[in-house]
Amino acid sequence: MQAENEVNHTLDVTSRNVLKHDVQSGIVVFLVALPLCLGIALASGAPLFSGVIAGIVGGVVIGFLSGSHVSVSGPAAGLAVIVATAIQDLGSFPAFLCAVFLAGALQLGLGILRTGFVADYVPNSVIKGMLAGIGAVIVLKQIPHALGRDKDYEGDLSFLEAGSNTFADIVAGVLSASTGAVIISLVSLVLLIAWDRAANNGYKMFQLIPGPLAVVLAGIGLNQWFGVLMPDWKLTDPEHLVTLPISTGLADFAGQFTFPDFSRIAEQRIWIAAATITVVGSLETLLSLEAADRLDPYRRISPANRELRAQGVGNMIAGLIGGLPITSVVVRTSANVFAGARTRMSAVIHGLLLLASVVLIPGFLGLTPLASLASILIVVGYRLTRPALYKSMFAAGWDQFLPFCLTAIAVVLTDLLTGVLIGMALGIFFVIRTNHHEAITLVHQGSDYLFRFNKDASFINKSELRSKLRKLPKNSSVLIDGTRALYIDHDILEVVQDFQQLAVYRNITVQLKHFDADLVPGEGLGH
């Protein structure tokens, strides 16, 4: 089925229909990514233009090099604290750019060494929980923006904020709601839902123009209309609008680029910052890549090692021209998928649009209310954490549902990486629990007992085996059968050896079957 999907996709890529979908999704991702790039740069204590550079490189360069068809890369909120700390510790932004370049080189090396397999060990329930958690975070984080409270930077996904938290920010947003922002966000939300339904029902005009683009234009128009008829409702404060660096000419635009200070490349602090960015950025990228494959309607599998190499090259280029560190980002990726992306060209198009926007129309885009963009992201977040997903995971059983829920909750209350690690811990617990109960079968007839290993035996089964052996009555006979096990580790071997020595004193006869050197590391016990 997978091969069939790939073939069908290859045939579809050449059609005009695919290009139409990619252009539309590229526009949507551009609208979502622009304030995120600026907000993350602001939170990182870096020049605003550095966030835009990262978005452009993430779209154009990594979009071309990546093997993922729907993943979109750019500056990541998860690195904002690391970036801000590194800039402060290193004392200058050019020194930090040197660390970004080195991080890209290290990441390229990780891809060459084929370390992308790490993501294969994350359970599917945890990946789904991560997506659901991120969806909930997106909705919760955008509610204050929809209410006109824009104190927190766009793109922040962490629960704890400066002197506050996500829930407290929502309460503050409700208490200080702006009439103009609320009207714009509600109109935008209704318009977006109606636009999508009309497009799905086959109306050509609604299919040709992306709903989010119509929402942004409507938000700009509505806010300008407020200025004429209801001045008190108009959003005029820059914090309520998209704020782009405006260049007065080509020389001014070129002057916004910053270059790395390679004179400090030998400093230990530079390499520590580079290593930190490499590890955290690579983990976020691999997790986002797994999420992208889950979201991809064609169920295509992205090559993880190629993604690491692409991210490495992208970060090296970003470091050379003044950009923030780049990772694959779930928010942009999910917006890309839900907008109908078919190929990686949508990511490239979004990068080109970012470049064109800062060169050609920064003033016009500066009229965009964040309340309109909040409505777009609320719809994206809802689709990630829709109730049907929770119902399907509950139907899959508790061993799937609990890690899923715990991951989602942990992502909401902490951050992406912490949430995934917590979910994996619970997932490992269920794996151990399942192996603990299913690995060994004990049957007996009279004083004859049979211990049979149903699969590989490891330290996980040590406690169960030791407990059952100790309960054997005196003057009995026991056969320990390892025929069905492909591997028996030293812990199990030592338990059996200890029991053989003690069995003599209890007049218990012990026989071993298929406990040989092929199964047991080191010397076998015999047959």
Side-chain angles (χ1 to χ4, degrees):
M1 182 60 71
Q2 177 189 336
E4 181 182 345
N5 284 342
E6 291 289 350
V7 172
N8 290 339
H9 171 74
T10 302
L11 294 174
D12 287 341
V13 166
T14 59
S15 69
R16 293 175 59 186
N17 185 51
V18 167
L19 182 59
K20 179 190 75 172
H21 281 291
D22 285 341
V23 170
Q24 290 182 345
S25 56
I27 293 173
V28 172
V29 179
F30 155 68
L31 294 172
V32 170
L34 180 59
L36 296 181
C37 292
L38 297 169
I40 292 168
L42 180 65
S44 302
L48 290 181
F49 195 59
S50 66
V52 179
I53 291 173
I56 294 170
V57 174
V60 178
V61 177
I62 298 179
F64 269 121
L65 298 178
S66 171
S68 174
H69 296 279
V70 297
S71 175
V72 182
S73 297
L79 289 174
V81 175
I82 294 174
V83 171
T85 303
I87 293 174
Q88 184 176 6
D89 289 346
L90 297 176
S92 73
F93 188 61
F96 171 73
L97 292 178
C98 178
V100 175
F101 175 83
L102 292 175
L106 292 173
Q107 204 167 29
L108 177 61
L110 291 178
I112 294 173
L113 294 175
R114 308 183 66 82
T115 60
F117 66 88
V118 172
D120 294 335
Y121 291 94
V122 182
N124 289 335
S125 60
V126 174
I127 294 295
K128 293 178 180 178
M130 179 187 76
L131 285 171
I134 289 175
V137 169
I138 292 172
V139 173
L140 294 172
K141 287 289 187 179
Q142 292 306 313
I143 290 175
H145 291 295
L147 296 172
R149 178 179 171 82
D150 301 299
K151 302 297 182 183
D152 192 23
Y153 71 92
E154 189 77 36
D156 179 19
L157 297 180
S158 59
F159 179 74
L160 295 177
E161 303 166 3
S164 183
N165 59 59
T166 300
F167 298 137
D169 203 33
I170 293 175
V171 173
V174 172
L175 296 177
S176 62
S178 163
T179 303
V182 171
I183 293 175
I184 289 174
S185 60
L186 288 176
V187 170
S188 298
L189 193 60
V190 172
L191 177 61
L192 183 59
I193 295 172
W195 199 281
D196 285 347
R197 288 184 177 178
N200 292 332
N201 289 332
Y203 292 96
K204 291 294 183 182
M205 184 192 77
F206 296 94
Q207 292 177 338
L208 291 174
I209 302 174
L213 177 59
V215 164
V216 167
L217 294 176
I220 293 174
L222 192 56
N223 197 41
Q224 297 306 308
W225 182 72
F226 286 159
V228 176
L229 299 180
M230 301 292 294
D232 292 341
W233 291 4
K234 184 178 181 182
L235 302 176
T236 56
D237 195 316
E239 73 176 11
H240 300 312
L241 306 171
V242 173
T243 305
L244 264 178
I246 298 178
S247 305
T248 57
L250 186 60
D252 188 24
F253 174 74
Q256 295 186 73
F257 289 90
T258 308
F259 305 102
D261 180 7
F262 285 119
S263 66
R264 300 180 58 182
I265 196 170
E267 291 185 18
Q268 184 180 12
R269 291 183 299 172
I270 297 287
W271 285 93
I272 291 175
T276 304
I277 294 169
T278 301
V279 173
V280 177
S282 297
L283 287 175
E284 288 215 13
T285 288
L286 293 174
L287 290 172
S288 298
L289 194 67
E290 285 286 316
D293 289 345
R294 284 276 163 196
L295 293 172
D296 185 3
Y298 291 93
R299 293 294 184 265
R300 292 162 291 191
I301 299 176
S302 305
N305 294 309
R306 177 174 171 180
E307 184 69 22
L308 287 177
R309 294 194 295 269
Q311 296 287 338
V313 173
N315 276 307
M316 291 173 71
I317 294 175
L320 287 174
I321 60 176
L324 292 177
I326 303 168
T327 72
S328 174
V329 188
V330 177
V331 178
R332 296 172 180 82
T333 299
S334 54
N336 191 36
V337 172
F338 294 135
R342 296 292 188 270
T343 75
R344 64 179 68 93
M345 281 306 299
S346 61
V348 175
I349 290 169
H350 120 274
L352 293 174
L353 288 174
L354 283 173
L355 176 60
S357 69
V358 296
V359 175
L360 303 176
I361 53 171
F364 177 74
L365 288 174
L367 300 174
T368 306
L370 292 180
S372 291
L373 297 174
S375 298
I376 297 171
L377 286 169
I378 285 173
V379 172
V380 170
Y382 174 79
R383 288 174 176 173
L384 285 174
T385 192
R386 61 194 185 281
L389 176 61
Y390 292 83
K391 292 179 181 178
S392 66
M393 292 304 296
F394 181 77
W398 288 104
D399 61 332
Q400 296 293 308
F401 185 65
L402 287 180
F404 164 80
C405 284
L406 185 62
T407 303
I409 294 171
V411 167
V412 171
L413 298 181
T414 57
D415 54 57
L416 174 63
L417 287 179
T418 305
V420 169
L421 290 175
I422 292 173
M424 285 187 66
L426 185 61
I428 291 172
F429 168 78
F430 275 103
V431 170
I432 293 175
R433 181 175 177 271
T434 301
N435 278 274
H436 178 75
H437 288 293
E438 296 181 357
I440 302 173
T441 300
L442 171 62
V443 295
H444 74 96
Q445 183 175 2
S447 61
D448 296 326
Y449 291 80
L450 169 64
F451 281 84
R452 174 173 288 137
F453 290 96
N454 301 316
K455 50 187 174 182
D456 295 351
S458 67
F459 72 94
I460 295 173
N461 315 113
K462 177 180 177 179
S463 176
E464 180 186 13
L465 177 61
R466 178 178 288 167
S467 176
K468 289 182 176 180
L469 287 173
R470 285 175 176 174
K471 291 179 182 179
L472 289 176
K474 295 179 181 180
N475 305 316
S476 58
S477 176
V478 58
L479 171 63
I480 302 177
D481 184 3
T483 303
R484 297 181 180 178
L486 297 177
Y487 174 83
I488 299 174
D489 75 9
H490 279 289
D491 284 49
I492 298 298
L493 172 62
E494 290 180 2
V495 169
V496 173
Q497 287 175 330
D498 292 343
F499 177 72
Q500 279 185 301
Q501 295 172 3
L502 294 173
V504 177
Y505 302 101
R506 300 176 60 195
N507 197 29
I508 297 176
T509 303
V510 181
Q511 290 181 296
L512 303 177
K513 182 179 179 181
H514 207 67
F515 266 64
D516 55 28
D518 291 331
L519 286 176
V520 184
E523 296 182 0
L525 288 175
H527 297 274

